[in-house]
Amino acid sequence: MKTKVRTLSDLHQEFHAKSSQLYSGAVNPKTRKQLIIDRQRIVREMWYLKKEKAKETSGNLRVAGAENPEFVNKLARKGVIFRSVG
Amino acid sequence: MSKSPYPENCDNEYLIKLCELIADRENIVGECRKNGDKSFFYMCIDIPFVYEDTEQSIFVDLNIHIQESKLQAKFEGEIFALSTNDQETFMENILRIFSSGIEAYEEFNWLVSGPSNIPLPMLDNLPKRVQLRIGRFEPLGDVTDFGNAFMESLIELDGFIYFLLASLEDEEDKDGQKTNNNKLDSANDLSEDDE
């Protein structure tokens, strides 16, 4: 059986479609609840896809803008690298 | 505050357009307001989500400033009704999510930052109820196009909120069990958490 791999773009479009339905004003309570659940599920899938992509591309995380040295050291110990503010 | 805008504060076509657009939306209330001599649009948005089979709400306060000299509209606001028992982990998770590793900007075009009155290093002093600031810019152009972009931004705001919720759920699952360390409260529930 061929399984279609859904891309972030596919999921994004699906999310928009479900949202348009939800806010169309013409849904009953049961459908409304299901649409909300569907939207959450779609975005959860997006989250996992993004997380997998992030794992592939970076071993360290970067946080821009932090200037407090104590805070920088604290998160640096946990593998977070800081970019200096320009 | 009522759903009917105050026309005397809506002194440009973009603000008037926002009034028109939200008039039929059950989950949004808003109005034009003045800050000194500058008008802006204030709105409160009720974003529905289902948690443990029950529909609940997250509320977002949003101000929209029309910056005609910069040809942009600036959206700035706060997500409230999001609380967690482990403030430091939560803030660290948010930082991890929205740093270069994982970000929702590409898909949902909303920026996020921590509470404005508490500098990030002061993690130990965060209040129990965490507020997240959000923002966005939209170019100004044709009023109709602006209106369409605004409506899209509201859908994307929903997605952005769900993205945050998904990340919090993921952190719960990482511990190997749902310990309910990250808890979502309704904005109307101001009571202490039960643990």
Side-chain angles (χ1 to χ4, degrees):
Chain A
M1 183 163 39
K2 198 172 175 184
T3 307
K4 185 177 182 233
V5 174
R6 299 210 291 174
T7 63
L8 281 168
S9 176
D10 293 336
L11 291 167
H12 192 222
Q13 278 180 23
E14 196 181 333
F15 179 78
H16 269 259
K18 296 276 182 185
S19 300
S20 297
Q21 269 184 275
L22 176 67
Y23 292 126
S24 68
V27 291
N28 60 43
K30 188 177 171 186
T31 304
R32 173 188 164 83
K33 189 173 174 183
Q34 191 55 52
L35 283 170
I36 296 170
I37 289 170
D38 287 346
R39 294 192 324 155
Q40 285 174 242
R41 175 186 47 77
I42 291 163
V43 176
R44 204 175 296 122
E45 257 187 84
M46 292 174 78
W47 159 256
Y48 284 119
L49 270 180
K50 294 284 272 188
K51 211 168 87 156
E52 285 311 306
K53 263 174 84 171
K55 275 186 204 166
E56 287 161 22
T57 56
S58 67
N60 291 308
L61 300 168
R62 294 177 186 81
V63 178
E67 294 169 342
N68 181 290
E70 259 181 60
F71 182 66
V72 170
N73 291 335
K74 188 175 186 175
L75 287 197
R77 284 195 292 273
K78 298 186 182 188
V80 181
I81 294 175
F82 288 82
R83 289 195 291 247
S84 57
V85 178
Chain B
M1 184 181 66
S2 71
K3 275 196 81 115
S4 301
Y6 294 97
E8 63 269 22
N9 288 332
C10 286
D11 58 9
N12 71 62
E13 55 184 348
Y14 298 100
L15 294 180
I16 292 170
K17 186 67 177 176
L18 293 176
C19 293
E20 290 170 4
L21 288 171
I22 69 144
D24 296 328
R25 288 286 295 260
E26 289 295 317
N27 67 319
I28 304 177
V29 288
E31 62 188 10
C32 292
R33 290 184 175 176
K34 270 211 185 299
N35 182 9
D37 60 350
K38 287 200 181 285
S39 291
F40 66 98
F41 199 82
Y42 166 78
M43 64 177 70
C44 183
I45 306 164
D46 171 351
I47 295 175
F49 72 99
V50 173
Y51 183 67
E52 295 184 348
D53 205 39
T54 306
E55 184 175 331
Q56 303 196 32
S57 293
I58 277 183
F59 293 94
V60 176
D61 258 1
L62 205 58
N63 293 328
I64 300 179
H65 302 271
I66 305 297
Q67 301 176 324
E68 286 182 275
S69 59
K70 295 183 184 176
L71 298 176
Q72 69 184 16
K74 179 181 169 188
F75 295 36
E76 54 177 7
E78 282 185 350
I79 305 166
F80 59 100
L82 190 70
S83 73
T84 176
N85 295 329
D86 186 349
Q87 307 296 321
E88 186 168 330
T89 302
F90 174 73
M91 286 304 294
E92 188 184 321
N93 289 340
I94 294 299
L95 288 173
R96 284 176 180 275
I97 291 161
F98 295 107
S99 61
S100 64
I102 303 168
E103 54 180 296
Y105 185 76
E106 235 166 54
E107 281 71 35
F108 300 119
N109 286 324
W110 282 93
L111 302 167
V112 69
S113 65
S116 58
N117 58 343
I118 297 177
L120 275 176
M122 305 285 286
L123 289 175
D124 293 338
N125 294 330
L126 280 174
K128 190 160 181 64
R129 190 171 291 275
V130 176
Q131 290 178 321
L132 286 178
R133 292 166 62 225
I134 54 167
R136 183 186 181 105
F137 292 96
E138 284 291 345
L140 286 182
D142 173 76
V143 170
T144 304
D145 290 341
F146 172 72
N148 291 336
F150 168 72
M151 297 306 284
E152 286 295 301
S153 77
L154 293 185
I155 290 177
E156 291 180 343
L157 178 60
D158 286 11
F160 185 78
I161 299 292
Y162 292 166
F163 196 83
L164 272 181
L165 297 180
S167 72
L168 292 176
E169 284 171 17
D170 196 24
E171 288 304 310
E172 282 184 356
D173 291 345
K174 246 200 231 172
D175 295 335
Q177 57 184 347
K178 287 223 179 248
T179 58
N180 204 30
N181 282 336
N182 294 324
K183 199 170 167 186
L184 303 169
D185 297 330
S186 158
N188 295 323
D189 179 11
L190 298 176
S191 57
E192 289 295 312
D193 295 330
D194 293 322
E195 281 299 311

